[in-house]
Amino acid sequence: MADMLLSTGVHDTIPSNYVRPENERPHLDHVIADANIPVVDFGASDKSQIISQIEKACRLYGFFQVVNHGIDAELVKKVLAITLEFFRLPPEEKAKLYSDDPAKKIRLSTSFNVRKETVHNWRDYLRLHCYPLEEFVPDWPSNPSSFNLPWDVVTRDVFGSYCKQVRQLGFRILGIISLSLGLEEEYLVRVLGEQEQHMAMNYYPKCPEPELTYGLPAHTDPNALTILLQDPHVSGLQVHKDGKWIAVDPKPNAFVINIGDQLQALSNGRYKSVWHRAVVNSNKERMSVASFLCPCNSVLISPPEKLIADGSPAVYRSYTYDEYYKKFWSRNLDQEHCLELFKRDRETCPDAPTFPCPDTPT
Ligand code: OGA
Ligand code: NI
């Protein structure tokens, strides 16, 4: 049903199946203006300072931004330009790539999981798996033309370089997160195995009624680490903290980093995979490019001995990422935190506190 794509039409009103019930709406006037989501300068020479800033950010916010991260600003500009070009393709080109099958590794889709959800979200997205690059690049879209180059050229081309640089940055961050947990620097990269990597190029068209719907409703990311490139000109990302939504306005040349569910599990709950959402607006379309680093499907996610040796028992049972990911996609996005379903005390203590989605009244 490629005609569900939002980016192919012009919208004067929003269809009723995008309208949230009254008590689940974004309440944009209650959102806290961009406050103090930590900014970490990766160019700083004092590594111990970077480690302690990241430790604090992961523990208190689950989010931080990085500047001086080493990814070339010109490359980033091209990534955003191609993304926009892609969503401006004619409907018949986009229809060729459309799929609502979450198992498809390369697909143009809309909302989150249209097969499951009853209310849709004001977002189209292009999902591209990108590791190993040479395995996926032949199946990437052949339009716009920058997607349609032979492999050896693509490696030098925009998306190939971008994926590689993002992966490198992600590994560096995982190293610092490991150190911040008192583990050896290589720990997380090692236990996550041969990490998968994919991208969601998100496109949020102008929305005539932004108070009634979401680009992406409150969710946590199921993967290990997310590296988000925001549209430099348009805000939309919001992070949940202390019962409130905080806007994370775009910062020049910064990436927004967040802890995914797997790092919450591997840190034995010390670091949080925090609820976040994307809202839309009536004046401007918005883009973002989210890169996800994911554990190898077969690895067992289980906290390091060091983090359970100090008298804090393992919060979650061990599971494979394969099991987790299937569970994640079998549900709606804005339900209870998916990790809750893997809690060890879930069986022994049914009254243990749970973490319902903050926008869904219980
Ligand atoms: C995501 C996400 C936020 C944004 O893709 O998982 O949270 O601002 N995106 O697009
Ligand atoms: Ni997300």
Side-chain angles (χ1 to χ4, degrees):
M1 286 282 283
D3 52 5
M4 275 200 72
L5 286 171
L6 295 161
S7 55
T8 48
V10 176
H11 313 274
D12 299 322
T13 57
I14 81 171
S16 59
N17 54 355
Y18 287 79
V19 177
R20 296 270 160 182
E22 183 84 43
N23 55 4
E24 287 179 23
R25 292 181 186 164
H27 298 288
L28 298 172
D29 49 336
H30 295 173
V31 172
I32 313 279
D34 194 323
N36 34 14
I37 300 294
V39 179
V40 181
D41 181 355
F42 261 35
S45 54
D46 184 352
K47 191 167 172 183
S48 63
Q49 193 193 340
I50 297 178
I51 297 168
S52 76
Q53 284 176 336
I54 286 196
E55 191 276 333
K56 202 167 159 206
C58 292
R59 196 165 33 84
L60 301 179
Y61 290 86
F63 266 79
F64 57 93
Q65 307 184 69
V66 284
V67 293
N68 294 319
H69 40 66
I71 299 185
D72 179 37
E74 283 308 307
L75 180 67
V76 166
K77 260 195 201 161
K78 286 183 197 154
V79 165
L80 289 168
I82 297 173
T83 302
L84 189 57
E85 196 186 333
F86 178 83
F87 284 101
R88 299 230 160 119
L89 285 173
E92 60 278 12
E93 284 298 325
K94 286 196 283 200
K96 291 182 201 160
L97 291 162
Y98 184 81
S99 169
D100 62 12
D101 177 2
K104 268 196 92 182
K105 293 190 165 182
I106 291 167
R107 67 183 190 278
L108 172 62
S109 200
T110 191
S111 187
F112 169 67
N113 193 356
V114 287
R115 292 182 180 183
K116 290 244 169 260
E117 64 206 17
T118 45
V119 185
H120 303 310
N121 306 299
W122 205 258
R123 162 182 93 136
D124 288 347
Y125 64 101
L126 176 64
R127 166 82 62 182
L128 294 183
H129 274 241
C130 38
Y131 185 84
L133 212 44
E134 62 277 23
E135 185 181 314
F136 292 109
V137 164
D139 297 327
W140 281 4
S142 55
N143 227 334
S145 56
S146 30
F147 276 116
N148 191 24
L149 300 166
W151 158 245
D152 58 329
V153 180
V154 173
T155 46
R156 279 179 272 118
D157 202 30
V158 179
F159 276 87
S161 327
Y162 183 72
C163 293
K164 284 183 179 173
Q165 292 193 26
V166 161
R167 190 172 183 87
Q168 257 179 9
L169 174 63
F171 279 28
R172 193 171 156 206
I173 294 170
L174 287 170
I176 294 176
I177 293 177
S178 299
L179 290 170
S180 78
L181 287 165
L183 305 165
E184 52 180 312
E185 188 158 7
E186 297 72 29
Y187 183 86
L188 285 171
V189 168
R190 192 175 65 239
V191 299
L192 291 167
E194 190 78 352
Q195 287 180 67
E196 291 205 5
Q197 182 179 349
H198 52 91
M199 283 198 282
M201 288 140 87
N202 296 312
Y203 179 80
Y204 306 98
K206 282 190 222 175
C207 175
E209 312 226 51
E211 278 287 1
L212 305 186
T213 193
Y214 291 103
L216 269 175
H219 67 282
T220 67
D221 291 349
N223 50 301
L225 192 76
T226 302
I227 300 168
L228 182 79
L229 169 60
Q230 290 212 79
D231 188 314
H233 308 296
V234 192
S235 298
L237 173 66
Q238 300 178 351
V239 174
H240 198 250
K241 178 162 168 46
D242 302 332
K244 301 215 163 62
W245 287 104
I246 305 176
V248 186
D249 293 337
K251 197 174 162 54
N253 300 317
F255 283 95
V256 178
I257 311 294
N258 67 286
I259 298 292
D261 296 355
Q262 305 318 313
L263 289 190
Q264 177 166 334
L266 284 168
S267 68
N268 204 26
R270 202 184 290 193
Y271 292 168
K272 299 286 183 286
S273 173
V274 166
W275 294 99
H276 55 286
R277 65 185 192 179
V279 298
V280 288
N281 73 83
S282 54
N283 308 321
K284 284 184 180 154
E285 62 195 348
R286 173 173 180 263
M287 292 177 286
S288 71
V289 178
S291 295
F292 304 100
L293 286 176
C294 312
C296 170
N297 259 328
S298 59
V299 303
L300 202 62
I301 302 294
S302 166
E305 280 299 317
K306 205 163 175 184
L307 298 188
I308 49 175
D310 61 357
S312 35
V315 181
Y316 308 102
R317 69 171 172 84
S318 304
Y319 56 82
T320 61
Y321 187 56
D322 190 42
E323 180 188 357
Y324 194 90
Y325 205 59
K326 285 190 179 124
K327 177 71 83 191
F328 181 83
W329 277 96
S330 70
R331 304 157 74 246
N332 272 340
L333 204 49
D334 46 358
Q335 285 178 329
E336 187 186 17
H337 203 306
C338 187
L339 208 45
E340 290 293 298
L341 307 175
F342 294 80
K343 256 194 168 153
R344 285 177 71 216
D345 69 3
R346 190 86 173 197
E347 290 113 50
T348 52
C349 180
D351 296 333
T354 58
F355 292 87
C357 169
D359 286 325
T360 311
T362 44

